[in-house]
Amino acid sequence: MVKLAIDLGSSVTKIYRADAGSGIVLAEPSCVAVSGPDREVKAIGKDAKKLVGKTAEFTEIVFPVYEGEIVDMRLAVVMLREFLSRIGIRPARLGRSLAVFSVPCGASSALTEDYAALAGECGLKKIRFVEAPFLAALGADAVLSESDPVCCLDIGGGVTNVAVLSPDGIIAGLSMNIGGNNMDANIIDRIEACKGLRIGALSAERVKNEIGSLAVGARGATVVEGSLSSVMRPGSVSVRAEEIEPCIRTYIDKILEYTSLVLEKLPAEVAAAVNGNGIYLSGGVAKLSFVPEYIGKKLDMRIHVCDEPQFAVVSGGGAAVRDDRLLSKIALREEE
Ligand SMILES: Nc1ncnc2c1ncn2[C@@H]1O[C@H](COP(=O)(O)OP(=O)(O)OP(=O)(O)O)[C@@H](O)[C@H]1O
Ligand SMILES: [Mg+2]
């Protein structure tokens, strides 16, 4: 039987196939390019993302699943169907597969119904939902045990989840709409204000990922291209890591404020376990230089980061879809 884990991230959709040579089989931007009054689909995934900020008036880039919510069902179906076909699973086999979907922490029944409808439209019949923090914990190599709660912090493109959990459930946690996208937007504003160059979202993301760092005295630099505001023509400027450091730190500091709120509320024994275990950090933002070290220092706790933290949730989904007992323990409800 085909076994899949699907993480419909705000920035990137990831799919893990847990049968036949298990592993991550897809990671593509969660977007669709549409044009004209009928919103005809022009490109999906990486082909659509290349067009961000470059399209003419009638073309629009839509992120149909944003911050965990399905904001455009028709395009979410088009996108997921295409991704499932890109990984080469025939429709007949999809109908007999098992798929685990990551859903936001505390997902309402209306939200899981939306996910079920999306899955159904894509030909997936047997599905399970698991709240993202459980999967982040599994994928970040935390050992889930009733007697030893763990704390995970996942910082993605649109959402950050922090949760203290055991297989029994989430003991404390919250989700905030803060992530890498806020940093990109802030980089756009800052480069315009300080250097007089207007840059696009793709360039801002590249600058953040290439030179973004919370190291003291970070030395990276890059050249970025855009539109010079003063002369209204194309141009480029050089940007140093220290110039965009505040664009990253501001949001990490906000995330730490909320994380502290969760940690402060823990019952004493849970706090003791979390202190002993440290924090499991995941999500693409954990890849930015010195972000894990900064968080560890501010919280005065040990931080674990797995090899590819942006894939922690989907890898955790892979572990869950492979293990019936574990899955029945952490799945939200059954949907046939
Ligand atoms: N090397 C990297 N690979 C992928 N993403 C990176 C990397 N470095 C930084 N990032 C940033 O991480 C964010 C994407 O992270 P992730 O894939 O965990 O988000 P997501 O799961 O799509 O979104 P969310 O969980 O918020 O719905 C983006 O802001 C991206 O720019
Ligand atoms: Mg995510």
Side-chain angles (χ1 to χ4, degrees):
M1 185 206 272
V2 173
K3 292 186 172 185
L4 300 174
I6 301 176
D7 175 15
L8 294 163
S10 307
S11 303
V12 181
T13 295
K14 298 106 175 158
I15 304 182
Y16 188 108
R17 185 162 176 185
D19 60 298
S22 50
I24 291 157
V25 287
L26 180 125
E28 289 222 26
S30 310
C31 57
V32 181
V34 293
S35 85
D38 298 335
R39 304 180 94 218
E40 189 195 331
V41 174
K42 290 179 66 177
I44 299 170
K46 51 182 179 317
D47 302 328
K49 186 164 178 188
K50 279 190 222 148
L51 304 177
V52 169
K54 296 178 196 152
T55 53
E57 195 177 351
F58 296 114
T59 301
E60 186 194 347
I61 312 296
V62 181
F63 285 75
V65 183
Y66 203 74
E67 295 172 353
E69 305 266 341
I70 299 172
V71 291
D72 187 321
M73 182 58 92
R74 179 179 80 92
L75 294 180
V77 170
V78 167
M79 183 179 81
L80 184 56
R81 262 197 200 144
E82 172 64 19
F83 289 162
L84 290 168
S85 97
R86 281 183 195 174
I87 62 175
I89 304 175
R90 288 195 311 278
R93 294 200 72 194
L94 276 183
R96 284 179 274 114
S97 62
L98 170 64
V100 166
F101 277 82
S102 162
V103 293
C105 191
S108 65
S109 56
L111 189 85
T112 53
E113 276 162 26
D114 278 355
Y115 272 76
L118 167 63
E121 288 288 323
C122 295
L124 296 163
K125 297 213 170 61
K126 195 169 174 194
I127 56 176
R128 299 283 182 276
F129 303 117
V130 180
E131 289 170 288
F134 286 108
L135 301 181
L138 289 170
D141 299 330
V143 179
L144 287 187
S145 127
E146 252 106 25
S147 58
D148 199 16
V150 293
C151 178
C152 4
L153 176 58
D154 182 280
I155 313 177
V159 194
T160 293
N161 279 305
V162 52
V164 176
L165 54 91
S166 77
D168 240 6
I170 292 174
I171 299 164
L174 55 82
S175 162
M176 56 205 116
N177 294 345
I178 303 177
N181 294 343
N182 299 91
M183 300 170 187
D184 299 346
N186 206 298
I187 288 173
I188 293 175
D189 292 346
R190 196 170 173 91
I191 292 182
E192 172 144 39
C194 303
K195 309 248 169 186
L197 185 80
R198 271 192 303 113
I199 64 166
L202 290 182
S203 302
E205 185 179 19
R206 179 184 66 78
V207 168
K208 175 196 68 190
N209 296 351
E210 255 179 51
I211 62 165
S213 173
L214 294 186
V216 178
R219 304 254 290 263
T222 189
V223 171
V224 63
E225 277 145 357
S227 169
L228 288 165
S229 327
S230 56
V231 288
M232 306 285 276
R233 63 169 172 75
S236 66
V237 297
S238 162
V239 181
R240 281 177 292 121
E242 64 183 315
E243 292 169 320
I244 58 149
E245 186 261 2
C247 310
I248 297 167
R249 185 169 28 86
T250 308
Y251 294 101
I252 297 292
D253 284 343
K254 272 193 193 149
I255 288 167
L256 289 175
E257 260 175 53
Y258 287 108
T259 303
S260 301
L261 290 179
V262 170
L263 296 175
E264 278 162 19
K265 277 197 308 215
L266 298 177
E269 291 295 0
V270 177
V274 166
N275 193 54
N277 290 331
I279 292 184
Y280 291 84
L281 181 63
S282 59
V285 170
K287 292 204 80 156
L288 299 184
S289 164
F290 276 83
V291 162
E293 290 82 353
Y294 180 87
I295 292 176
K297 195 163 165 221
K298 286 275 170 166
L299 294 176
D300 192 19
M301 288 176 77
R302 221 154 26 97
I303 304 291
H304 310 272
V305 195
C306 56
D307 269 355
E308 294 291 353
Q310 73 276 33
F311 295 131
V313 169
V314 82
S315 305
V321 76
R322 222 187 265 129
D323 180 340
D324 292 342
R325 270 187 51 198
L326 174 65
L327 184 57
S328 64
K329 236 178 186 172
I330 61 176
L332 222 44
R333 61 158 200 191
E334 304 218 331
E335 192 79 33
E336 295 289 333

